[in-house]
Amino acid sequence: MPAPLFPLFADLHGRPVLVVGGGAVAERKTRALREAGAEIRIGAPALTPTLAEWAELGLITHLEGEFQPAWLDDVWLVTAATDHADVNAAVADAANRRRIFANVVDDAALSSVQIPARVQRGPLQVAISSSGAAPMLARHLRERLESELDESLGPLALLLQRLRPRITAQLPDIATRRRFFDTLLQGNVPGLIRAGRLYGATRQLLCLLGAPRQRPKRGRVALVGAGPGDAGLLTLRGLRLLNQADVILHDRLVSPEVLALARRDAECIEVGKQADGPSMRQSTINALMLEHALAGKTVVRLKGGDAFVFGRGGEELQALRAHDIDYEVVPGITAALACGAYAGIPLTHRDHANSLRLLTAHGANGPSEHEWADLARPGQTLAVYMGVAGLANFAQQLITHGRAAATPAALIENGSRPEQRVISATLDTLPALARQHAVASPALLVVGDVAAHADTLHWFGAAPLRPDPADEKKPWPARAA
Ligand code: SAH
């Protein structure tokens, strides 16, 4: 096995670097080198428009014409990025003679340095190399790190850089300093930075610096939307928080696939809440959340869909605010968006619907008498949560208040999950069809012309279930495509 490459991070600031080639690849390399502050000379007969503009503005120097070894005279590094193997080889050869490191794009054998795949968060960089053995593996790893490492690491690194002299002066002992950083990184500071509260983060850090052994007394809570079920629909931030959680309080709606992504040793507590069946009282859930946060735990309150759409997220935040617990909110893909996407139902459409209403037919949030006329107006899409039990009444009310009985309507049961079913009919025929197929919660009702698109645009799981035309007294109305 050849020896692995030796990793270096080069300080190119203000140092002359040569790029040979003027095409798209050269432009990419030049861009990266400019970020590092290098003084760039670019040698090529012709440049891309962007490179030409940079040269015009004096940001880089254009050396016109074919490669000349003299271009290498006082540079620290050279990158050959031309389409011509012989030119690239000549550059590498001339650089070798002068003991200048050369990188030849896509040619590990000719390169004396390689430019690694990297993940960057402000001044913090992770560089990955397989020493040319398996570039695809390096790329795969880079993608994984890219999704795992939070963007807030950049501002955090800058904050630590700014306070470094102070931290070193105050904690000269390395072991104490290490403990300080452990406490810092497990505490509230990263979360405060994610929440855009740099001032609060700085204060918290300075406070910790005053008493490094003391763990922050309070934990924090992240209210995370888990999406509709398909784990791929969780956000990156949601995933990162699940990886950091000490305690996860989740609803029954949250799918096992999403829970499987959580930190292995996190304590998972189901605080089931369903329209039907027993459910934990909101006050009990709030109390649990507070108890763990006050004990200094990192709590993730994980909710189906989005926490702020029929998710009682607001009430939970009010409880946290009342006890001065830090929190953040991570949106999730709400059932209406997920069910629309997975059933092939665009929720707005230039021809049929220019507004979308999210509503529920259930309980205290249900429509009031004077709202019905408004809901029955055509040209809009209704996305109705918790709508299975009251479906017949809901459809009837809309028709009574003027919405056409033939308005397309669809029910999406278990949207985005492998067992998804779509029932596609019209306002007047849907209730019977839903009963016939024993549709159960969770299911979302979509009312409006756009719902008919499920018949032609469906792509996920089984095709929509439709009324049997033979059962209809009147002929099945023609559907708009
Ligand atoms: N906060 C959630 C909604 C909770 S209310 C969100 O943003 O999605 C519960 C209702 O959401 C269910 O009765 C159902 O109408 C809808 N729902 C949630 N997940 C669903 C799914 N996977 N498929 C269909 N409907 C769903």
Side-chain angles (χ1 to χ4, degrees):
M1 190 192 84
L5 298 175
F6 186 74
L8 287 172
F9 284 89
D11 179 2
L12 295 180
H13 190 259
R15 299 207 153 100
V17 169
L18 176 68
V19 176
V20 183
V25 181
E27 182 180 317
R28 224 169 43 233
K29 298 287 167 196
T30 304
R31 199 179 289 275
L33 287 165
R34 273 192 64 202
E35 270 172 36
E39 186 220 301
I40 297 157
R41 300 160 187 194
I42 185 150
L47 300 180
T48 65
T50 303
L51 286 171
E53 192 184 322
W54 288 347
E56 191 108 328
L57 292 170
L59 302 172
I60 58 178
T61 307
H62 185 194
L63 310 171
E64 272 185 72
E66 302 299 333
F67 169 66
Q68 300 165 28
W71 288 352
L72 289 165
D73 277 350
D74 55 357
V75 303
W76 290 70
L77 178 74
V78 59
T79 292
T82 76
D83 288 337
H84 307 288
D86 50 338
V87 177
N88 289 347
V91 174
D93 180 55
N96 271 337
R97 285 173 209 278
R98 287 169 164 77
R99 310 262 192 283
I100 294 171
F101 277 123
N103 171 257
V104 179
V105 171
D106 285 336
D107 196 331
L110 278 183
S111 297
S112 51
V113 280
Q114 287 182 20
I115 298 176
R118 64 185 172 144
V119 180
Q120 187 165 15
R121 297 287 182 272
L124 198 69
Q125 297 194 65
V126 183
I128 304 154
S129 157
S130 66
S131 299
M136 285 309 287
L137 200 60
R139 222 185 73 189
H140 177 74
L141 193 60
R142 192 195 75 82
E143 278 166 17
R144 256 181 54 193
L145 289 173
E146 194 66 75
S147 65
E148 265 167 41
L149 300 180
D150 201 90
E151 282 76 16
S152 63
L153 280 168
L156 179 64
L158 287 172
L159 176 66
L160 293 178
Q161 180 180 37
R162 191 153 57 80
L163 296 178
R164 192 165 163 207
R166 199 150 157 186
I167 296 171
T168 320
Q170 198 146 339
L171 305 173
D173 174 53
I174 292 181
T176 318
R177 200 151 70 221
R178 190 167 298 157
R179 267 202 307 281
F180 164 77
F181 279 116
D182 282 348
T183 313
L184 178 84
L185 296 176
Q186 284 161 23
N188 289 353
V189 171
L192 285 168
I193 290 180
R194 267 198 311 278
R197 289 162 61 191
L198 208 54
Y199 177 71
T202 312
R203 242 187 25 196
Q204 176 92 22
L205 190 152
L206 293 175
C207 171
L208 260 179
L209 197 55
R213 257 175 295 272
Q214 210 179 316
R215 261 189 76 97
K217 283 193 290 295
R218 293 182 163 212
R220 49 185 285 119
V221 177
L223 197 56
V224 177
D230 179 341
L233 297 179
L234 183 69
T235 60
L236 277 182
R237 175 140 308 157
L239 177 65
R240 288 169 187 153
L241 287 162
L242 280 178
N243 274 313
Q244 292 164 10
D246 297 317
V247 180
I248 297 168
L249 303 173
H250 66 92
D251 287 354
R252 213 173 301 172
L253 262 183
V254 174
S255 72
E257 291 77 16
V258 169
L259 286 174
L261 297 173
R263 209 176 100 187
R264 294 260 173 265
D265 50 352
E267 185 184 350
C268 262
I269 306 172
E270 181 178 309
V271 290
K273 257 188 151 311
Q274 269 192 343
D276 38 10
S279 62
M280 198 180 267
R281 289 166 59 124
Q282 188 61 48
S283 54
T284 316
I285 297 175
N286 293 353
L288 261 177
M289 221 164 43
L290 287 169
E291 178 196 320
H292 288 290
L294 289 170
K297 299 278 173 57
T298 299
V299 181
V300 167
R301 173 74 177 103
L302 191 61
K303 291 175 165 277
D306 181 85
F308 280 0
V309 180
F310 303 118
R312 300 220 187 177
E315 292 163 53
E316 297 184 1
L317 290 196
Q318 282 164 337
L320 294 172
R321 187 42 51 95
H323 290 80
D324 210 19
I325 305 278
D326 269 327
Y327 58 75
E328 68 187 285
V329 184
V330 182
I333 295 192
T334 189
L337 300 186
C339 290
Y342 278 65
I345 300 177
L347 298 174
T348 66
H349 191 293
R350 283 195 295 177
D351 300 336
H352 316 298
N354 54 17
S355 76
L356 163 69
R357 299 177 70 148
L358 307 186
L359 63 147
T360 169
H362 179 76
N365 290 323
S368 62
E369 185 49 38
H370 77 274
E371 277 169 335
W372 281 112
D374 214 23
L375 291 176
R377 267 190 305 106
Q380 60 179 335
T381 305
L382 308 181
V384 189
Y385 290 69
M386 296 174 269
V388 184
L391 174 62
N393 177 51
F394 188 83
Q396 190 49 54
Q397 287 279 11
L398 285 182
I399 295 170
T400 307
H401 288 85
R403 189 104 205 216
T407 305
L411 264 175
I412 301 102
E413 182 194 53
N414 285 310
S416 89
R417 304 177 181 206
E419 61 273 27
Q420 168 175 306
R421 290 197 301 173
V422 177
I423 319 282
S424 168
T426 51
L427 259 188
D428 56 346
T429 56
L430 189 65
L433 197 59
R435 260 197 313 279
Q436 181 193 331
H437 292 292
V439 175
S441 182
L444 184 98
L445 168 66
V446 178
V447 178
D449 292 349
V450 292
H453 285 292
D455 301 340
T456 50
L457 299 183
H458 70 84
W459 58 273
F460 178 78
L465 299 158
R466 301 189 39 186
D468 182 351
D471 290 348
E472 298 279 305
K473 284 186 221 81
K474 49 187 187 259
W476 181 242
R479 283 301 183 83

